[in-house]
Amino acid sequence: MTDAPLKLFNSLTRKLEEFRPVHEGEARVYSCGPTVYNYPHIGNMRAYVFADVLGRTLSWKGYELTHIINITDVGHLTDDGDAGEDKMEKMAAAKAQSIWDIAKHYTEAYWADVKALNIREPAKWSVATDYIDEMIDFAKGIADRHCYELETGLYFDVSTVADYGRLARAVTEEGEGRIETVEGKRNAADFAIWRKTPAGETRQMEWDSPWGKGAPGWHLECSVMGEKLLGFPFDIHTGGIDHREIHHPNEIAQNQAFCGCGGLDVATHSGAKIWMHNNFLVERSGKMSKSSGEFLRLQLLIDKGYHPLAYRMMCLQAHYRSELEFSWEGLGATLTRLKRIVMAAEKLQDAPLGDPSHPKFAALRDKFAAAMSDDLNTAVALVALEEALAMKKVDANVKRAVIEEMDQVLGLGLFDLTRTDLRIRPSDARITEAEIEAELFRRKEARVAKDFAASDAIRESLADSGVEVMDGDPLGWEWKL
């Protein structure tokens, strides 16, 4: 396999850059994690599929990976632009529950989605409230030179660092419109790094600080945990494209202040060498927003009979920097494609692992390596995987080794998956699998008796219940989505 250099698109420099680690042989990656006030939308989960593929690629390239994903359980306001109520406090009040219970419930729901999508565990899940003392120390260290205090909290003066907003392609008027107007702020883009609890109020989450009782700002936590767990500068910082406009520029400003760094012509002054962002998931019908009632989370896909790995594969079919359009038709087509891949891989299940470096697979392995090295081009890599599965007159043990090598990067878990696993009962199905098997047995008896009218009637009845009978197929039947 060609050892193509890994090239990644750096949002800060807006260039494709060869990955050269800060520490020889290591790759240190920080990914902005969820705010655990609600279930994650599948668009949120795209960010973690992308980060997982990045991590798998770095491991495949031979780097010792340290990947950190944070859990935000405090400080994130209802508007990313530093305005509104704390998301955690608001949900706790709405549910009349402890904020700690809210955080625990939605963290576990997020972890369940991570597992269902075959996303590898990071080296550490860093929980924001575990680092409050470190956040206060960090803020104390930069306050004199970069911050000022108002009645509402401690604010960061963005004019005190060079090149503020470069990552966001400068702060646009639209961006400024998302930033809270606070009396006394020196600049529109200044942001709170510590929010004081208003007089006469008590928050469920609040701590003593030099600026009064309160809670940290959302941007502060990522700077602190990134520095504590990976050290500045580390290699790669990832997040959704929505973080590129406000959250990450504010994080970078804090990092510059902490390090006493200059401008962002030197990328490492930002705290990370490379900043990477996945694009949005787009659902054009508008029927799947949180407000519409049918919230597009992973469990909804499962309830409708789609295996979660069909969604992972949907993410792989598009480049991470491209918009990904979601539709039920598209997901159905992706599930069909995944079934074909799984059927081909199942034929190799019992083959012992061979040597992937067989000359017959050299060109396909090179194609796969070139695709993944070209800014994680998973769409082309998937085609290389399918072409390898379709190769004729080759030893099964060699083919299995090649597929396993590619699958370690793509993360579909093909050799832990069967076509039967992909047959998920929709939650609204009117018939059980036991009833289906009983009907199929009756149909078989009718066919033996040459009662084809009865056989056809049973088949049509099953079709009306959402079951597709597949004569001549070892699986026998599928849910008809």
Side-chain angles (χ1 to χ4, degrees), residues 259-473:
C259 297
C261 298
L264 298 177
D265 286 338
V266 179
T268 52
H269 290 172
S270 71
K273 281 187 78 173
I274 298 176
W275 292 76
M276 297 180 71
H277 298 90
N278 64 281
N279 212 326
F280 292 114
L281 178 84
V282 179
E283 199 283 310
R284 298 193 191 280
S285 76
K287 295 177 182 176
M288 297 297 165
S289 68
K290 292 182 184 180
S291 60
S292 72
E294 194 169 36
F295 178 18
L296 193 54
R297 53 178 291 227
L298 197 63
Q299 188 59 50
L300 179 64
L301 274 56
I302 297 167
D303 289 345
K304 288 184 178 291
Y306 297 91
H307 195 282
L309 288 178
Y311 178 66
R312 182 183 179 100
M313 182 139 162
M314 183 178 251
C315 293
L316 298 177
Q317 288 176 164
H319 192 271
Y320 76 90
R321 285 195 287 122
S322 301
E323 283 190 346
L324 173 61
E325 183 162 355
F326 178 86
S327 69
W328 294 111
E329 295 80 6
L331 186 62
T334 303
L335 180 59
T336 299
R337 185 182 184 189
L338 179 59
K339 285 174 181 175
R340 291 187 184 125
I341 290 174
V342 169
M343 286 166 66
E346 276 188 294
K347 295 174 183 175
L348 306 172
Q349 282 280 10
D350 298 327
L353 208 57
D355 181 0
S357 61
H358 192 284
K360 280 199 173 183
F361 285 97
L364 280 177
R365 292 174 75 231
D366 286 351
K367 177 178 179 176
F368 182 89
M372 293 308 302
S373 298
D374 181 18
D375 196 29
L376 314 180
N377 194 335
T378 51
V380 173
L382 265 177
V383 173
L385 172 76
E386 289 171 314
E387 289 174 348
L389 279 167
M391 285 276 281
K392 308 289 186 189
K393 298 179 182 177
V394 293
D395 290 342
N397 60 338
V398 174
K399 185 187 279 194
R400 174 173 175 142
V402 171
I403 299 307
E404 202 154 296
E405 178 183 54
M406 294 178 176
D407 191 37
Q408 284 296 313
V409 181
L410 296 174
L412 291 168
L414 293 177
F415 293 107
D416 297 318
L417 198 59
T418 67
R419 195 156 141 241
T420 308
D421 294 332
L422 299 177
R423 189 170 68 187
I424 292 179
R425 182 178 188 269
S427 61
D428 62 354
R430 304 188 304 273
I431 187 170
T432 67
E433 296 198 7
E435 289 169 335
I436 295 167
E437 295 293 348
E439 286 297 281
L440 290 176
F441 182 74
R442 278 206 319 120
R443 182 170 180 267
K444 184 178 178 182
E445 288 184 322
R447 287 164 67 86
V448 169
K450 297 192 175 356
D451 186 351
F452 297 114
S455 170
D456 289 347
I458 293 168
R459 182 180 191 133
E460 287 172 17
S461 174
L462 286 169
D464 289 343
S465 297
V467 178
E468 181 180 19
V469 177
M470 302 183 301
D471 290 325
D473 188 305

Side-chain angles (χ1 to χ4, degrees), residues 127-250:
V127 179
T129 50
D130 291 343
Y131 291 84
I132 298 296
D133 289 345
E134 289 86 346
M135 291 183 209
I136 291 170
D137 287 344
F138 187 107
K140 284 162 65 176
I142 66 173
D144 288 349
R145 289 165 292 132
H146 299 278
C147 303
Y148 57 94
E149 195 171 347
L150 297 176
E151 187 179 332
T152 52
L154 183 70
Y155 285 80
F156 190 98
D157 183 340
V158 298
S159 69
T160 63
V161 293
D163 302 324
Y164 175 77
R166 177 177 287 194
L167 180 72
R169 294 156 177 77
V171 179
T172 62
E173 289 183 12
E174 179 186 1
E176 288 186 1
R178 294 170 57 214
I179 297 172
E180 182 182 17
T181 301
V182 174
E183 189 175 345
K185 273 174 56 166
R186 296 173 183 172
N187 310 286
D190 290 353
F191 56 93
I193 63 173
W194 188 267
R195 289 185 168 277
K196 297 180 188 178
T197 302
E201 290 186 20
T202 303
R203 294 169 52 107
Q204 286 196 49
M205 285 186 172
E206 59 181 7
W207 295 265
D208 290 322
S209 81
W211 316 284
K213 193 177 288 290
W218 174 41
H219 316 298
L220 182 61
E221 66 181 72
C222 288
S223 286
V224 169
M225 292 187 285
E227 191 279 325
K228 287 292 176 186
L229 298 171
L230 298 175
F232 288 152
F234 53 87
D235 295 296
I236 303 171
H237 196 309
T238 79
I241 198 170
D242 50 323
H243 290 159
R244 193 186 63 190
E245 306 310 309
I246 294 176
H247 177 46
H248 285 170
N250 290 352

